[in-house]
Amino acid sequence: MIDRAADFGIRAAGLGIIVIVALIFVFIGIETLPLFRGAKERLVFEQPLAGVPPAAQVLALGVDEYESNLYYVDASRGAVRFVNVVTREQAGDFPLKALAGTTATSAYRTPSRDKIVIGTADGHLVIAEAKFAIAYASDATRTVRPFVNQLAVIAVAPDGAAIVRVHARQNSAGDYFYAAATADGRVFTGKFVEDEPREEPQAVGGQFAGKITALILDYEGNKLCVATDARKLYHYYLGESRDAPFHVYDFPANITALDFIIGDVSLLLGFENGAVESWFG
């Protein structure tokens, strides 16, 4: 009787292990199944904010590292506006002096350090920084006070053409590398270092077919990609040649957004049809 009970227990335990392993594979299959299906999106949450301009006038969005304030560039007013994410009320509004006599036409917020690079209608780049002062009350309640510093104004387009696309990176040494596209289809790149003599922006050679829809520059100011609505991507290695692209790629749809992941090794491409691709190299 004891031997039969032991035999039954061993068999049951073995069968249980097999079932558990099988269920693990079923779970993995269920979790990975969406990877083989088309991407979908759905609205999770919506919160109207008072005083927000039309979408076309919101040129850049950011959230501070404390996740306490959302901020954006209001092109209609030439200002950076902050909104408290808890109360949904305005936490600060800071007009930039450099935008007083012109209009913001493009903007980019760097992935870290809350740097904002703004292109203007008269061919300049305005570099600003969103800052956050932290204070604690006696009951340990934290208060985050936002403000903005204007760091520099750079003349990019010699003839004052409007900057319609801009991208920038700040590397670990604090150097800024930027790329800007003008309304007439020219591209300029340059480097900016705080408290050092200003370097003149340099034009990028080559003819771009169609209207420029996106551009991106790596952390060292060498790898440049420019997308146009002719379904093309122009790839430059500026350290080797600024006069012509290293390669021009053709696509079945127009690229509308570019960004890096994993440093600047993997390039994400967003298309007008909603597709997203990742390129390595």
Side-chain angles (χ1 to χ4, degrees):
M1 188 67 177
I2 295 176
D3 290 343
R4 288 184 178 180
D7 180 69
F8 176 79
I10 293 172
R11 291 176 182 273
L15 180 61
I17 292 173
I18 293 174
V19 171
I20 290 173
V21 172
L23 290 176
I24 291 174
F25 280 104
V26 171
F27 174 77
I28 293 174
I30 293 173
E31 292 297 310
T32 57
L33 186 60
L35 298 177
F36 301 95
R37 295 176 176 172
K40 296 180 180 179
E41 64 177 74
R42 61 188 177 89
L43 181 64
V44 177
F45 175 78
E46 183 177 15
Q47 173 65 54
L49 300 176
V52 176
Q57 300 297 316
V58 178
L59 298 183
L61 284 170
V63 177
D64 69 289
E65 61 179 315
Y66 306 100
E67 298 183 352
S68 61
N69 285 272
L70 175 149
Y71 60 91
Y72 59 90
V73 176
D74 183 349
S76 64
R77 300 180 55 256
V80 179
R81 178 175 291 181
F82 295 82
V83 178
N84 187 293
V85 299
V86 176
T87 64
R88 306 291 196 268
E89 296 179 352
Q90 181 175 308
D93 187 82
F94 302 91
L96 295 172
K97 293 181 180 180
L99 298 179
T102 184
T103 303
T105 50
S106 58
Y108 180 79
R109 179 244 185 191
T110 61
S112 61
R113 306 182 189 179
D114 296 297
K115 311 296 185 180
I116 309 170
V117 182
I118 304 169
T120 70
D122 59 359
H124 289 71
L125 289 183
V126 179
I127 300 178
E129 177 182 32
K131 300 284 288 182
F132 302 91
I134 311 300
Y136 290 90
S138 57
D139 59 355
T141 301
R142 185 181 68 185
T143 302
V144 180
R145 182 178 63 84
F147 60 98
V148 174
N149 284 337
Q150 181 177 298
L151 302 177
V153 180
I154 303 172
V156 175
D159 56 354
I163 305 297
V164 295
R165 293 284 184 274
V166 62
H167 186 271
R169 281 287 191 266
Q170 186 181 28
N171 63 20
S172 58
D175 304 334
Y176 293 82
F177 292 94
Y178 60 84
T182 62
D184 54 4
R186 291 172 293 160
V187 173
F188 296 86
T189 66
K191 177 182 178 182
F192 165 72
V193 181
E194 294 184 49
D195 302 321
E196 290 190 11
R198 201 73 55 82
E199 294 186 13
E200 291 294 325
Q202 299 182 57
V204 175
Q207 294 293 323
F208 301 105
K211 181 181 177 181
I212 296 174
T213 57
L215 78 169
I216 193 168
L217 190 66
D218 71 357
Y219 284 97
E220 299 303 324
N222 180 43
K223 186 191 302 180
L224 170 70
C225 293
V226 181
T228 73
D229 63 4
R231 300 180 178 180
K232 294 183 181 294
L233 180 69
Y234 297 81
H235 182 191
Y236 288 82
Y237 287 107
L238 300 177
E240 298 177 6
S241 175
R242 306 182 62 88
D243 300 325
F246 169 75
H247 194 80
V248 180
Y249 301 92
D250 293 296
F251 290 89
N254 286 327
I255 296 171
T256 55
L258 296 169
D259 207 351
F260 284 120
I261 58 173
I262 314 177
D264 53 9
V265 177
S266 179
L267 178 65
L268 285 180
L269 299 85
F271 295 87
E272 62 182 354
N273 58 7
V276 176
E277 293 183 6
S278 177
W279 285 22
F280 288 88

